[in-house]
Amino acid sequence: MAGSGGPLSHRGLRGREAELAELQALIASVARTGSGGLALLQGEPGIGKTTLLAEAAARAAAAGFSVGLGKADELHHIVPLSSLAASILHGDRPLLSDDDLADLARNHDQRIWLVERLAEAIEARATDTPVLIGLDDVQWADALSRFALQQLPTRLRTSPVLWLLTGRREPSGPAEEIVAAAAGNLATVTVPLGPLSGAAIGQLADDTLGPAVDARVRDLLDGAGGNPFLAVEMLAGLRTADASQDVMPSRLVVGVRGRLRSLQPGTLRFLQMGAVLGRRFGFEDAAALCDRPAAALLPALEEAVRAGLLDDDGDHLVFRHDLLRQAVHADIPPSARRALHRDAARRLVTAGRQPIDAVPHILRGAVPGDEEAVALLRRAADDVLAVTPGAAADLMLRALGLSPAAGELKFEVGEQAILCLARAGRNREALETGDRLLAGQPPLEIFGRLQSALGGALWTMDLAEELRRRAEAALAAGGSAPEICARLAALRALALSRGGDLAAAREAGETALRTATAIGDREAHVLALSGLGEIALNAGENAVALQRFAALSTIDSAFLPEEVVAHVHVDDFASGERLLLRAADRGGAVRQAMLLWAQGQHDLGLGRLDDAEADFVTMERLEDEVRVPVQQVNGRVIRSRIALLRGDREAAREHLLAARKGLAVKPNPGNTAAVRFLEAVHAEADGDIGLAVDRIRQVQRQGPFMRWRLLRDWVDAAVRMSLRAEEHQLAEDLAEQAEAHAGRNPSVPTATGIAAQARGLVRNDPAVLEHAVELLGASPRPLTRAAAHADLGQALLAAGRRSLAVAALAHARGTFAEAGAHAAAAHVQRALVGAGGESHRAATVRRPVQGWGALTTSEEKVARLIAQGHTNRSAADVLVVSPHTVNTHLTSVFRKLSIGSRVQLANLVASLPEG
């Protein structure tokens, strides 16, 4: 047959000229503009995705790109970051070394932090040269790689980074999720690959067999359905056939299996063992499964490579295509497949591999009652819990299903499954799993352990009363180990913090803390301190709360954000600042989203509205990324108030709607009180003072402890609303609450000053309000001081003391304006005009919406640093903020300046006038 000696065409690019041109245009765009891009190649197996990806990567490399290519593996989709790691470690200049990547995975257990470190490495490379990162078969990517791919393209959208992914068409699959996350933030292209035309298939035949291809061959190629891989496999068989035969040999029937049957039995057996191990496997591992010395299998290896079924990359053997491995794997009888996968798991563990490497085989080969498999799954879950808690939870549920029905192992596994589910935010599943196990009437010791394990889920679900009931039931039942009793007692105290009797809660917490300290159980100690901190906050005892949270963060630095906020509550912003700086140095050791909540509280208290807004925006984004919404309702409430202070009513309403939506999902008393108070503020702004007072009364009904937490700094606004509505008794009640709060916090200037302010408003007494201003002179909160000056000015005006009134009002206006509280400044300005003071002066100069002048001070600092060539990390180090906050500022900068890359930003900054 003509052309039988020629090389087989592996290009697979016949008929793909249009798709390749589209990718070439995207490559050129990323290089030209300095902005990011993402392309997804989609199609059925064998349609040419891998070949097109390789060709696009080759062209990008020729254009000067730094290229990293990897491939996700069907059998290794559980190992965290294994898929993306292949891309990061690829090439002559890998983005990270093996040691650097291992250090990331070993020393840092925060998904958000880890992804940010990857972003920094890619960003640093992109400052020198455009970067292409390609991942083949993204549908099999592990959970952490999928998480990273949903964040990184948007995070790096202002750098010349091109992401090329391939995947099968799966509605709502990983590929679609990644594209959806990037859409609207950078250029995204989905390139569908359909069947090749008959003409293109004919060209493939010409490439392989030469131009003298007869009609019978072309008819046979029609059976490939336009799939280039199947066509090439058929052509490979045809090229090895006897050209003199008039009838096509039966072994050349369409499909891969026909080719496999031509192999020696030993080669086929070797390939089957390799197929069990995965597309990429070790020669020694396959030899071990064959139960033969490696040297004896060299002829089989040589035949498989010669037949074009395997490639050798120097470290591993690789099936040339997934379809080949799948075809080989499918030819193994199902019962034998299961046994071989179980043997493979045992072999990998014996060879010193990590448990997670054996898990794919356990999932395919283990049967109920396999305790060795259960042990491996438990170890693997422990290994991945920190970075992929969802995967850990899935592994533990599978381990629970494999555990023997009788005996205590099932309960031990169940306890671990509950903890993993709660860590993954799957609290309802955790509760259902625990209740199923409890229905089995376990021994009392196990009963206590299970109830203790359920404590975190119940607390997160805001089921404080149910938590109290279960903890008390387990303690009353007896039989638990001392450490479990200590944890149950601490959980009971935590639950009581949400009740009406805080004295009883405090006593329970103190007892739990003494017990935890005596027996030395760290978990019980953390729970007890956490409960005591909550109790102190709910009682309005800020100094005590600080003491508890400071002790808690000493034991576990993850609770440092709580200590920062506790310092803010006692007006100790300097200590809070030091802790925030320390947290920045610790990186992944601190909960990133909660740290931004603390930073936002700190900036808000200091009147840094722009920075506080950026903090809360970033916090919400990070909570969305990990799908654990803790402070989103409160964050939106504060952002709405910031918008009202600025005079942006539209944004304020949007935040109110978002807060209401979050409340529907998490309707705990604190969220309810916060949203009701925000509704009161909006009602007052809309002129509906009756509705405003109704919402204040609803806040009152949420319970006394919520008053301290919510009205700590905002009670003056509630008093003003009440007085406007002539609800003097309500105003009196609020003033009394403020005074009681000040009595519990006599060393906190804000607490004592606001109490005097509230009393002065109720009495309409300028002298009391003047005393409030004096007390608040020691407060570090400028907006609180400005509000007190405004109240004093209004009272002095009413008393006819015009000159003093004008001075107080002018001070309030200036402070509001300096903080960017434009609406508040304008309100005071109107009072000044009414008093005849500075009637021709504008209250404040508002920033424009677009252009350089629209940037906040922090945004301008970030813009100039990035224009100088700083990465997000180095800019964050200079400004002593989180890289996540720099990213938020940078997003706003690009939006306001209508640009899309760092190159454009550098050019724009260079064109600015000096000075």
Side-chain angles (χ1 to χ4, degrees):
M1 184 173 289
S4 61
L8 185 64
S9 172
H10 287 298
R11 288 177 296 164
L13 294 176
R14 296 297 192 181
R16 299 298 186 204
E17 291 79 10
E19 292 89 345
L20 189 56
E22 191 172 8
L23 294 177
Q24 183 72 57
L26 186 58
I27 292 169
S29 173
V30 169
R32 182 181 69 256
T33 66
S35 301
L38 184 148
L40 170 63
L41 312 180
Q42 276 192 313
E44 66 179 22
I47 205 66
K49 303 185 296 295
T50 301
T51 304
L52 190 57
L53 171 64
E55 179 65 20
R59 295 193 178 197
F65 277 67
S66 174
V67 175
L69 283 182
K71 184 177 181 64
D73 192 296
E74 183 181 10
L75 282 183
H76 296 92
H77 66 278
I78 296 174
V79 182
L81 209 64
S82 59
S83 308
L84 194 55
S87 304
I88 293 168
L89 301 175
H90 172 268
D92 296 332
R93 294 182 63 211
L95 291 162
L96 287 175
S97 68
D98 289 314
D99 290 342
D100 289 340
L101 187 64
D103 181 65
L104 277 182
R106 180 171 58 249
N107 294 329
H108 303 292
D109 65 355
Q110 295 287 332
R111 284 174 289 171
I112 294 174
W113 191 94
L114 190 147
V115 169
E116 179 59 31
R117 286 299 184 268
L118 291 177
E120 290 165 10
I122 299 169
E123 188 177 72
R125 176 65 57 81
T127 60
D128 301 325
T129 182
V131 174
L132 183 148
I133 297 177
L135 182 60
D136 199 11
D137 284 331
V138 73
Q139 75 274 1
W140 288 326
D142 63 274
L144 186 56
S145 292
R146 294 201 307 269
F147 175 80
L149 287 169
Q150 289 175 19
Q151 318 306 325
L152 287 172
T154 296
R155 161 67 176 81
L156 295 166
R157 66 196 175 283
T158 61
S159 297
V161 180
L162 176 57
W163 305 84
L164 289 186
L165 311 175
T166 77
R168 299 177 183 179
R169 289 193 181 94
E170 295 179 342
S172 302
E176 285 74 10
E177 290 177 355
I178 293 166
V179 172
N185 297 307
L186 67 159
T188 58
V189 176
T190 297
V191 182
L193 300 183
L196 290 180
S197 66
I201 292 292
Q203 289 175 323
L204 282 177
D206 293 342
D207 292 339
T208 305
L209 304 176
V213 177
D214 58 33
R216 290 175 303 165
V217 172
R218 298 191 185 279
D219 289 342
L220 182 65
L221 289 175
D222 287 342
N227 186 298
F229 174 77
L230 292 179
V232 168
E233 289 303 306
M234 292 166 57
L235 290 167
L238 287 168
R239 195 173 63 183
T240 60
D242 185 347
S244 65
Q245 291 181 330
D246 292 331
V247 181
M248 199 68 59
S250 61
R251 69 176 183 275
L252 297 179
V253 173
V254 178
V256 177
R257 289 178 179 172
R259 293 188 62 198
L260 298 177
R261 294 190 187 103
S262 66
L263 301 173
Q264 293 294 320
T267 302
L268 181 57
R269 172 71 174 168
F270 171 71
L271 286 171
Q272 288 175 333
M273 298 306 103
V276 167
L277 291 167
R279 187 184 178 199
R280 191 168 180 263
F281 61 94
F283 180 49
E284 290 186 357
D285 292 332
L289 280 186
C290 288
D291 197 23
R292 296 186 63 189
L297 288 173
L298 284 175
L301 171 60
E302 292 169 354
E303 183 183 17
V305 172
R306 197 166 51 245
L309 299 171
L310 293 179
D311 288 328
D312 189 337
D313 67 6
D315 295 319
H316 292 84
L317 300 173
V318 185
F319 279 95
R320 196 166 56 80
H321 198 282
D322 288 310
L323 289 177
L324 289 172
R325 189 199 73 81
Q326 291 165 6
V328 174
H329 191 261
D331 268 354
I332 306 172
S335 58
R337 279 203 302 267
R338 185 179 298 110
L340 287 170
H341 277 294
R342 190 64 188 83
D343 287 347
R346 192 172 289 110
R347 157 66 189 172
L348 292 173
V349 172
T350 302
R353 305 287 182 83
Q354 295 298 315
I356 194 66
D357 294 321
V359 162
H361 302 289
I362 291 292
L363 297 180
R364 287 167 172 78
V367 295
D370 188 337
E371 295 189 16
E372 183 183 13
V374 171
L376 276 174
L377 289 171
R378 295 181 69 182
R379 289 170 55 197
D382 275 339
D383 290 344
V384 305
L385 177 62
V387 288
T388 51
D394 290 337
L395 292 177
M396 287 310 306
L397 289 176
R398 183 61 187 273
L400 186 58
L402 292 173
S403 299
E408 294 189 1
L409 178 61
K410 191 175 192 71
F411 296 111
E412 292 178 13
V413 174
E415 179 185 0
Q416 187 177 349
I418 291 167
L419 295 172
C420 289
L421 286 165
R423 179 75 173 270
R426 292 156 61 176
N427 296 298
R428 190 158 299 281
E429 280 185 79
L431 185 56
E432 292 169 352
T433 300
D435 284 344
R436 282 196 299 272
L437 292 166
L438 289 168
Q441 297 183 331
L444 289 178
E445 196 274 334
I446 293 174
F447 176 79
R449 294 191 71 90
L450 291 175
Q451 295 290 17
S452 173
L454 288 169
L458 290 165
W459 177 254
T460 305
M461 295 170 71
D462 298 316
L463 298 176
E465 181 58 25
E466 177 68 6
L467 174 57
R468 181 200 61 78
R469 186 189 67 78
R470 287 174 178 251
E472 290 179 352
L475 287 168
S480 294
E483 69 274 12
I484 298 301
C485 288
R487 295 172 196 175
L488 289 167
L491 286 167
R492 176 177 177 269
L494 183 62
L496 289 172
S497 73
R498 291 282 176 88
D501 190 348
L502 293 180
R506 187 181 299 107
E507 182 180 354
E510 295 284 4
T511 301
L513 181 60
R514 286 193 296 271
T515 304
T517 304
I519 67 172
D521 186 71
R522 184 178 183 278
E523 184 177 340
H525 202 156
V526 167
L527 285 170
L529 283 173
S530 181
L532 286 167
E534 286 287 318
I535 292 162
L537 281 178
N538 290 342
E541 299 168 346
N542 292 344
V544 177
L546 173 58
Q547 179 187 13
R548 300 304 188 188
F549 286 122
L552 182 59
S553 73
T554 300
I555 296 172
D556 188 343
S557 62
F559 288 93
L560 188 143
E562 281 80 357
E563 185 184 358
V564 172
V565 175
H567 277 289
V568 169
H569 289 334
V570 297
D571 285 347
D572 185 3
F573 285 80
S575 294
E577 182 81 22
R578 286 194 295 272
L579 289 173
L580 288 167
L581 292 174
R582 187 197 308 171
D585 292 336
R586 290 183 180 179
V590 180
R591 293 130 63 212
Q592 296 293 303
M594 193 63 189
L595 185 63
L596 282 158
W597 166 255
Q599 181 75 64
Q601 294 279 7
H602 181 271
D603 289 337
L604 179 67
L606 293 176
R608 303 169 183 167
L609 297 184
D610 293 330
D611 290 340
E613 169 79 8
D615 296 331
F616 294 128
V617 168
T618 310
M619 178 206 74
E620 182 171 328
R621 174 171 58 81
L622 296 186
E623 287 195 348
D624 283 340
E625 288 174 2
V626 296
R627 299 178 183 177
V628 182
V630 177
Q631 293 288 0
Q632 292 199 6
V633 171
N634 288 312
R636 286 290 186 156
V637 167
I638 294 173
R639 290 175 65 191
S640 186
R641 287 216 72 195
I642 290 173
L644 287 172
L645 286 169
R646 289 169 166 168
D648 190 345
R649 297 290 297 278
E650 182 179 355
R653 281 191 290 269
E654 289 177 359
H655 295 318
L656 172 59
L657 292 174
R660 284 172 172 163
K661 184 177 179 181
L663 178 62
V665 176
K666 204 171 177 61
N668 62 43
N671 285 346
T672 301
V675 173
R676 295 296 171 258
F677 179 77
L678 179 60
E679 289 172 342
V681 175
H682 275 264
E684 182 190 31
D686 294 336
D688 191 344
I689 196 63
L691 178 60
V693 169
D694 175 72
R695 292 298 186 263
I696 293 297
R697 291 192 185 281
Q698 289 189 34
V699 171
Q700 294 284 78
R701 289 195 291 270
Q702 287 301 319
F705 59 89
M706 282 305 157
R707 300 173 192 171
W708 308 125
R709 300 188 74 160
L710 176 64
L711 299 176
R712 181 187 291 112
D713 305 322
W714 295 349
V715 70
D716 58 316
V719 170
R720 287 189 213 97
M721 291 181 219
S722 303
L723 292 173
R724 280 189 61 192
E726 299 184 355
E727 294 283 353
H728 295 284
Q729 185 55 51
L730 177 58
E732 175 68 30
D733 183 36
L734 290 164
E736 288 178 359
Q737 292 177 46
E739 288 167 339
H741 184 60
R744 284 187 287 269
N745 299 276
S747 63
V748 181
T750 299
T752 58
I754 286 180
Q757 181 186 5
R759 178 54 61 191
L761 286 169
V762 170
R763 292 181 183 174
N764 192 24
D765 188 336
V768 178
L769 287 169
E770 189 171 5
H771 179 57
V773 167
E774 291 173 358
L775 290 171
L776 288 170
S779 169
R781 300 173 184 267
L783 295 177
T784 302
R785 297 196 306 268
H789 275 89
D791 287 339
L792 174 59
Q794 294 282 12
L796 290 169
L797 273 181
R801 299 161 65 182
R802 178 183 171 280
S803 60
L804 292 174
V806 168
L809 291 170
H811 185 282
R813 181 197 57 195
T815 304
F816 280 133
E818 185 178 354
H822 312 301
H827 178 76
V828 176
Q829 176 68 14
R830 287 192 291 272
L832 269 171
V833 171
E838 306 181 40
S839 60
H840 299 294
R841 177 176 171 177
T844 180
V845 177
R846 299 195 182 198
R847 287 193 299 265
V849 177
Q850 289 292 119
W852 186 259
L855 303 187
T856 68
T857 301
S858 294
E859 288 168 354
E860 183 176 339
K861 290 178 181 176
V862 168
R864 290 189 181 279
L865 288 170
I866 298 300
Q868 292 168 13
H870 279 273
T871 64
N872 282 23
R873 162 56 63 180
S874 62
D877 290 341
V878 170
L879 299 174
V880 197
V881 297
S882 160
H884 306 293
T885 302
V886 169
N887 189 37
T888 297
H889 285 314
L890 199 56
T891 298
S892 183
V893 167
F894 277 69
R895 175 176 53 79
K896 291 177 179 178
L897 300 181
S898 301
I899 57 177
S901 74
R902 293 167 187 251
V903 173
Q904 291 173 308
L905 177 61
N907 292 336
L908 188 152
V909 172
S911 70
L912 294 173
E914 295 184 6

